[in-house]
Amino acid sequence: MKRRFVIFVALKSPIAAYIAIALGVAYIWIFAPPFLITATFVGLCIMWSAWTFISVFRGTDELNSAGARYALAIASSIGVPLSIAFVMLMIAVPLIQDTIESTAALGKSGLSPTTIGFGLGVVFTTTLQCVGCAIGYTLWWRSKR
Amino acid sequence: MKNNIRVLRAEKRWTQADLGKMLGVSRNSVNAIENGKYDPSLPLAFRIARVFKKTIEEIFDDQQD
């Protein structure tokens, strides 16, 4: 039953798409593929976002729509404060700064460490939002079963 | 909010999936509404009433919260 629930939430929520996007960003950052591949990836991400928006707010299944809105609310209420807290922590703890710098140096994209650092920040914030979304979606469906 | 959708559905010998199809919602939605875990929107409540040829008050009871 638990396994079925996990599969159900994974299929219903956009978690799989979020993971794919995170992997795609990591691939582009590490391997710096040709522009066409990067542009196709960005295009797919935009199409997916548009489709998600339409299906959430124009979907016929109102329980699923309500669940998605609940998950988005949880995502922002968890993701934004945690992101801000992490920035404060990064300023206070030099070890975190060193880790970010050494991680940024691993990339082969040829971008400056500042740009990569900014990109990592965006990915980090998005990841926290995704985690919040996953938690929200799981809580929603748990409460409605 | 309590409701008697499960009883009405059983009388018609419909499955949750059947009812969901008629209402344009998922089986999960029908299940959550039947169990009183989700209160449907007013348009959906009207659709439910129409499907069973009853009034909303005959199906939903807001006195038993």
Side-chain angles (χ1 to χ4, degrees):
Chain A
M1 192 67 186
K2 269 184 181 173
R3 193 164 152 253
R4 268 184 63 198
F5 180 70
V6 170
I7 293 169
F8 172 81
V9 169
L11 289 176
K12 278 274 178 184
S13 72
I15 295 167
Y18 285 145
I19 292 168
I21 290 171
L23 289 174
V25 170
Y27 175 80
I28 288 169
W29 171 56
I30 294 168
F31 297 105
F35 176 75
L36 190 65
I37 292 176
T38 307
T40 306
F41 173 75
V42 171
L44 285 173
C45 288
I46 292 168
M47 277 170 62
W48 178 80
S49 297
W51 179 81
T52 303
F53 182 83
I54 291 165
S55 66
V56 166
F57 292 101
R58 287 285 184 195
T60 50
D61 186 24
E62 66 175 58
L63 186 65
N64 193 32
S65 296
R69 283 197 288 272
Y70 179 82
L72 290 172
I74 293 281
S76 52
S77 61
I78 288 177
V80 173
L82 276 181
S83 302
I84 293 167
F86 184 79
V87 170
M88 305 304 282
L89 196 70
M90 191 184 72
I91 293 167
V93 183
L95 180 68
I96 297 175
Q97 296 169 34
D98 295 341
T99 309
I100 292 170
E101 277 173 21
S102 58
T103 309
L106 289 172
K108 293 176 181 172
S109 56
L111 297 170
S112 72
T114 314
T115 310
I116 291 171
F118 179 78
L120 283 174
V122 171
V123 170
F124 177 77
T125 308
T126 310
T127 305
L128 282 180
Q129 303 260 0
C130 293
V131 170
C133 189
I135 292 169
Y137 221 80
T138 308
L139 289 175
W140 171 262
W141 282 108
R142 266 254 176 250
S143 70
K144 301 300 172 200
R145 282 167 75 90
Chain B
M1 191 182 288
K2 300 273 181 187
N3 64 74
N4 55 0
I5 293 174
R6 192 182 295 275
V7 176
L8 294 170
R9 183 174 58 77
E11 284 172 3
K12 302 258 185 196
R13 294 172 185 268
W14 293 338
T15 63
Q16 287 183 338
D18 293 336
L19 182 57
K21 213 170 182 180
M22 283 180 244
L23 297 171
V25 298
S26 67
R27 191 196 64 76
N28 294 303
S29 293
V30 174
N31 185 52
I33 294 167
E34 276 189 4
N35 291 324
K37 295 199 169 180
Y38 178 72
D39 293 335
S41 65
L42 202 51
L44 180 55
F46 271 110
R47 287 212 297 277
I48 294 169
R50 220 169 284 136
V51 160
F52 289 115
K53 295 186 174 67
K54 292 194 177 288
T55 62
I56 289 177
E57 289 86 352
E58 286 174 301
I59 298 172
F60 295 96
D61 184 0
D62 64 344
Q63 303 297 309
Q64 296 177 37
D65 268 347

